[in-house]
């Protein structure tokens, strides 16, 4: 079929409308896009982080939609189903996949980098790990697109941190991933602190997941650490084994998250920042702490991540905003200027004539 989308043609330039042919191959599904979230990774691709497929490339990796056609060998039960398309689609066959490390599968497909993505009317993806949901077409299904990346990545990082009930969880950066992460951590029984420079974001999270909030503006990382220690003391929180999540994807955020390390702490690096930061790596040794990276989410964790949303433990609506897909470049500009607080979800509005 002939699909339409918005493609990265030139770095640092607005996305351009593109018509292209799509047909599901063996094991693949053709998915009609209901909603596609816009992620900072899309901005990174526009700014020069290399995509795996060459340009022009339709971006977008946070998709919900419905299966409209299946290639040979794909599960016929998927026909017509509403689905969430995981941002990372592993092969399911290799040794890493067999170990449950699908998120680092070397044959994984990441829509909007390996293949044309979700800023489009349709996309083709491997069918195997599509996540069916019983949700009606339109905004109810479109809003779930953020599970494909922002929620599931946060979910994976929280689970992998080993977070347990009563742990002290600190999120540095309270945007999309951080905002969902703090709700997930709270739902799992952690005590939660959100750190962000944006007072509006902090106010929204005080209603959803953050027991405490802190705006670090104007203080050094050392001073912030002192404040957090004081908070832990007066609130009877654990003094050790903090679970720290770097979800800002900024240099000051990364420096602060590392500076918060203490005895037995776990630092989960979830946000992406292309630049370098200077840290004293020996703190990991001195505090017997550990640092983990997080890329995507293994499909095996998706049903649990979806449950936290559908059961109401994680609120989406205060943190998302819908836009017609034709306004994609305006949305991207808003994100690049730091003016877009809520996770934008693009709704395809292509002229069908
Ligand atoms: Zn993303
Ligand atoms: Zn694999």
């Amino acid at each position: 079929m002939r699909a339409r989308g918005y493609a990265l043609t030139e770095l640092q330039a607005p996305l351009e409308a593109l018509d292209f042919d799509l047909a599901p191959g063996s094991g693949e599904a053709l998915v009609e896009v209901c909603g596609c979230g816009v992620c900072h990774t899309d901005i990174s691709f526009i700014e020069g982080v290399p995509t795996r497929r060459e340009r022009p490339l339709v971006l977008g990796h946070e998709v919900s939609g419905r299966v409209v056609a299946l290639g040979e060998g794909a599960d016929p039960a998927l026909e017509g189903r509403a689905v969430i398309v995981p941002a990372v689609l592993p092969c399911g066959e290799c040794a890493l996949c067999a170990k449950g490390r699908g998120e680092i599968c070397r044959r994984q497909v990441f829509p909007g980098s390996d293949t044309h993505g979700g800023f489009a009317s349709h996309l083709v993806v491997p069918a195997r790990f599509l996540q069916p949901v019983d949700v009606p077409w339109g905004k109810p299904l479109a809003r779930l697109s953020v599970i494909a990346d922002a929620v599931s990545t946060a979910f994976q990082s929280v689970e992998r941190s080993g977070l347990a009930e009563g742990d002290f969880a600190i999120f540095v950066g309270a945007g999309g991933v951080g905002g969902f992460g703090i709700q997930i951590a709270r739902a799992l029984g952690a005590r939660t602190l959100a750190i962000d420079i944006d007072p509006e974001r902090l106010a929204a999270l005080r209603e959803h997941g953050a027991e405490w909030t802190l705006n670090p503006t104007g203080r050094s990382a050392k001073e912030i650490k002192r404040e957090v220690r004081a908070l832990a003391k007066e609130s009877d929180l654990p003094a050790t084994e903090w679970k720290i999540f770097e979800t800002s994807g900024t240099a000051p955020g990364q420096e602060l998250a590392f500076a918060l390390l203490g005895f037995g702490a776990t630092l989960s690096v979830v946000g992406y920042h292309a630049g370098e930061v200077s840290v004293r790596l020996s703190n990991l040794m001195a505090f017997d702490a550990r640092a983990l990276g997080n890329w995507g989410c293994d499909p095996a964790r998706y049903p649990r991540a979806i449950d936290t949303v559908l059961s109401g433990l994680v609120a989406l609506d205060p943190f998302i905003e819908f836009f017609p897909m034709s306004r994609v470049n305006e949305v991207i500009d808003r994100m690049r200027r730091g003016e877009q607080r809520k996770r934008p979800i693009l709704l395809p509005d292509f002229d069908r004539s």
Side-chain angles (χ1 to χ4, degrees):
M1 71 158 298
R2 203 76 180 143
R4 292 175 173 185
Y6 293 96
L8 176 62
T9 302
E10 239 180 284
L11 296 182
Q12 305 285 357
L15 303 183
E16 287 181 28
L18 183 75
D19 280 23
F20 53 101
D21 286 315
L22 275 183
S26 171
E28 291 180 331
L30 175 67
V31 175
E32 180 181 0
V33 176
C34 183
C36 185
V38 188
C39 173
H40 279 280
T41 303
D42 297 309
I43 310 290
S44 300
F45 290 147
I46 293 168
E47 291 177 349
V49 169
T51 54
R52 286 204 286 227
R53 177 180 163 142
E54 62 186 41
R55 306 189 299 267
L57 173 73
V58 175
L59 299 180
H61 54 270
E62 201 172 71
V63 177
S64 59
R66 75 179 148 216
V67 176
V68 292
L70 289 163
E72 194 190 325
D75 179 2
L78 284 168
E79 185 74 51
R81 293 296 304 268
V83 291
I84 295 167
V85 181
V88 172
L89 291 150
C91 78
E93 305 286 343
C94 70
L96 285 166
C97 283
K99 279 204 290 193
R101 294 304 312 272
E103 68 281 307
I104 52 167
C105 167
R106 295 298 76 213
R107 289 190 291 174
Q108 67 177 238
V109 172
F110 185 86
S113 174
D114 291 289
T115 61
H116 283 319
F119 296 171
S121 61
H122 298 76
L123 79 169
V124 162
V125 287
R128 180 169 180 155
F129 294 115
L130 293 176
Q131 304 289 320
V133 284
D134 287 311
V135 174
W137 186 262
K139 285 184 181 170
L141 178 58
R143 66 195 275 284
L144 299 188
S145 63
V146 295
I147 296 176
D149 185 20
V151 173
S152 58
T153 299
F155 191 85
Q156 155 130 334
S157 66
V158 169
E159 280 203 344
R160 285 179 71 204
S161 74
L163 179 129
E165 206 176 333
D167 277 356
F168 186 24
I170 304 165
F171 284 76
V172 179
V177 174
F180 296 130
I182 202 155
Q183 294 189 69
I184 293 162
R186 187 69 190 123
L188 295 175
R191 315 302 307 272
T192 47
L193 167 66
I195 299 179
D196 200 290
I197 55 171
D198 184 333
E200 280 191 38
R201 278 182 172 165
L202 294 178
L205 279 180
R206 270 197 293 277
E207 314 276 311
H208 298 280
E211 291 178 276
W212 296 278
T213 58
L214 195 156
N215 186 329
T217 307
R219 278 106 76 220
S220 71
K222 236 184 188 157
E223 288 168 306
I224 302 298
K225 183 174 187 180
R226 224 175 291 138
E227 287 175 40
V228 176
R229 293 197 76 83
L231 168 74
K233 198 161 183 197
E234 79 203 25
S235 308
D236 215 13
L237 304 172
T240 57
E241 296 185 286
W242 292 356
K243 303 294 189 287
I244 302 157
F245 299 87
E246 204 306 298
T247 43
S248 78
T250 65
Q254 290 184 340
E255 274 162 1
L256 175 57
F258 196 85
L260 287 172
L261 281 178
F263 291 103
T266 300
L267 169 61
S268 299
V269 180
V270 193
Y272 177 80
H273 167 65
E276 294 173 10
V277 297
S278 171
V279 298
R280 195 174 67 162
L281 204 57
S282 305
N283 286 12
L284 286 174
M285 169 268 174
F287 291 128
D288 199 346
R290 62 188 182 133
L292 306 176
N294 284 275
W295 170 257
C297 176
D298 186 69
R301 295 183 205 266
Y302 265 81
R304 295 196 294 282
I306 292 169
D307 262 3
T308 61
V309 172
L310 296 183
S311 66
L313 284 172
V314 171
L316 300 183
D317 297 329
F319 305 100
I320 60 176
E321 187 173 357
F322 295 108
F323 293 88
M325 198 171 277
S326 53
R327 287 170 64 190
V328 59
N329 285 313
E330 176 194 328
V331 170
I332 287 166
D333 285 345
R334 288 171 58 83
M335 288 173 76
R336 292 179 79 174
R337 290 196 303 261
E339 291 169 7
Q340 180 62 32
R341 285 203 175 81
K342 298 180 178 183
R343 189 81 162 180
I345 297 176
L346 303 176
L347 305 172
D349 59 338
F350 296 95
D351 181 3
R352 289 271 151 218
S353 57

